[in-house]
């Protein structure tokens, strides 16, 4: 099976702009989660989608949003970019969501730099 | 405050030696997972241990879980230069109203 893919891999944006990142989960996986990784804050959970519904949301401002399509592909959007949004954005897919024991499979990430 | 905390923050050992990393957490959990990340790339899942398990092995990896102390350890035996990476513990506490929460990680350097 192909792994989790994320596009683009690298992105440079200017403050105030918006950005959309894309994630394609492993075939058959219906859950997609997004994480932000920065040197200062580490890995932080953004949100989780399952069957096109947001199941969980982390403690991020409303500028961060996401959605999931019927084919389980997911996008996340960040509006009005700030310098502090520079980070590695990781997407993870799994076969299930909610409670239960299962593994997450991560994509290579999108490196976003805001100047 | 962060759920998972790894200790040490950085570890440097010689090839062939064993490496031990510890993780502490604060709330009840459903399971705890360890991941590896190579230099700013995606995370690779290493091992999952359920809250009712005490020890688990996978190849050169051994994970222990002590729910009474809210702590876990990852042991890598006979380390190799290719084991050089950052290691993160992640607590899955979704049964308890939390999400997946990652610790800050341990940076392991294995010197040839």
């Amino acid at each position: 099976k192909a792994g989790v893919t994320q596009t683009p891999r690298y992105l440079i944006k200017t403050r105030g702009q918006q950005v959309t990142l894309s994630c394609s989960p492993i075939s058959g996986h219906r859950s997609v989660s997004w994480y932000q990784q920065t040197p200062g804050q580490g890995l932080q959970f953004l949100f989780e989608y399952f069957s096109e519904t947001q199941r969980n949301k982390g403690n991020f401002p409303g500028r961060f949003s996401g959605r999931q399509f019927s084919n389980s592909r997911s996008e996340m959007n960040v509006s009005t970019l700030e310098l502090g949004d520079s980070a590695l954005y990781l997407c993870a897919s799994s076969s299930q969501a909610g409670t239960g024991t299962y593994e997450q499979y991560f994509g290579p990430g999108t490196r976003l730099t805001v100047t | 405050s962060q759920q998972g905390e790894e200790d040490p923050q950085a570890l440097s050992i010689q090839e062939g030696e064993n490496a031990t990393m510890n993780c502490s957490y604060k709330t009840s959990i459903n399971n705890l997972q360890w991941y590896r990340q190579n230099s700013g790339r995606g995370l690779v899942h290493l091992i999952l241990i359920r809250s009712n398990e005490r020890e688990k092995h996978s190849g050169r990896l051994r994970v222990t879980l002590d729910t009474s102390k809210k702590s876990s350890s990852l042991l890598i035996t006979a380390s190799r230069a290719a084991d050089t990476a950052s290691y993160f513990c992640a607590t899955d506490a979704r049964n308890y109203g939390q999400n997946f929460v990652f610790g800050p990680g341990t940076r392991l350097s294995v010197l040839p």
Side-chain angles (χ1 to χ4, degrees):
Chain A
K1 277 186 181 177
V4 178
T5 58
Q6 291 186 246
T7 56
R9 292 293 310 280
Y10 302 91
L11 204 50
I12 301 175
K13 289 285 190 178
T14 305
R15 266 184 307 178
Q17 289 186 315
Q18 75 165 14
V19 67
T20 299
L21 312 181
S22 180
C23 171
S24 293
I26 291 172
S27 177
H29 283 189
R30 295 165 63 191
S31 172
V32 173
S33 296
W34 289 89
Y35 295 84
Q36 181 197 64
Q37 186 177 29
T38 60
Q41 299 297 318
L43 274 154
Q44 293 186 288
F45 172 79
L46 280 157
F47 24 66
E48 178 187 20
Y49 286 88
F50 182 80
S51 294
E52 302 178 67
T53 302
Q54 188 179 87
R55 295 290 298 264
N56 259 318
K57 190 176 192 304
N59 190 25
F60 277 81
R63 299 185 297 107
F64 291 81
S65 63
R67 60 177 175 168
Q68 187 180 34
F69 302 96
S70 58
N71 62 358
S72 295
R73 189 177 70 85
S74 176
E75 289 181 347
M76 67 163 281
N77 183 277
V78 188
S79 62
T80 319
L81 283 165
E82 300 176 0
L83 294 179
D85 297 333
S86 294
L88 181 67
Y89 289 88
L90 293 162
C91 162
S93 81
S94 59
S95 58
Q96 303 170 53
T99 59
T101 298
Y102 53 86
E103 300 167 11
Q104 294 186 99
Y105 296 86
F106 282 80
T110 294
R111 173 74 64 186
L112 172 65
T113 302
V114 182
T115 63
Chain B
S1 59
Q2 204 154 17
Q3 166 81 315
E5 298 286 340
E6 277 103 339
D7 164 51
Q9 290 187 342
L11 181 61
S12 187
I13 59 174
Q14 296 292 134
E15 244 183 343
E17 293 181 337
N18 295 342
T20 300
M21 289 159 267
N22 303 298
C23 168
S24 61
Y25 57 92
K26 294 181 172 64
T27 69
S28 296
I29 61 172
N30 187 43
N31 63 75
L32 186 145
Q33 304 180 31
W34 284 89
Y35 290 82
R36 183 186 74 226
Q37 184 179 38
N38 289 86
S39 192
R41 301 174 72 176
L43 278 74
V44 175
H45 184 271
L46 295 176
I47 197 163
L48 179 154
I49 186 164
R50 292 177 171 80
S51 59
N52 61 353
E53 296 177 314
R54 291 297 166 257
E55 187 171 312
K56 205 159 183 182
H57 297 255
S58 177
R60 294 184 295 113
L61 306 180
R62 172 177 167 255
V63 168
T64 61
L65 179 65
D66 186 335
T67 53
S68 66
K69 295 181 179 177
K70 291 187 168 58
S71 69
S72 173
S73 68
L74 170 68
L75 168 67
I76 303 174
T77 60
S79 63
R80 305 165 182 168
D83 295 328
T84 294
S86 291
Y87 292 81
F88 296 88
C89 70
T91 51
D92 176 1
R94 284 165 299 156
N95 283 4
Y96 303 94
Q98 301 283 325
N99 299 304
F100 277 106
V101 179
F102 283 81
T106 293
R107 175 69 190 169
L108 173 66
S109 297
V110 181
L111 307 174

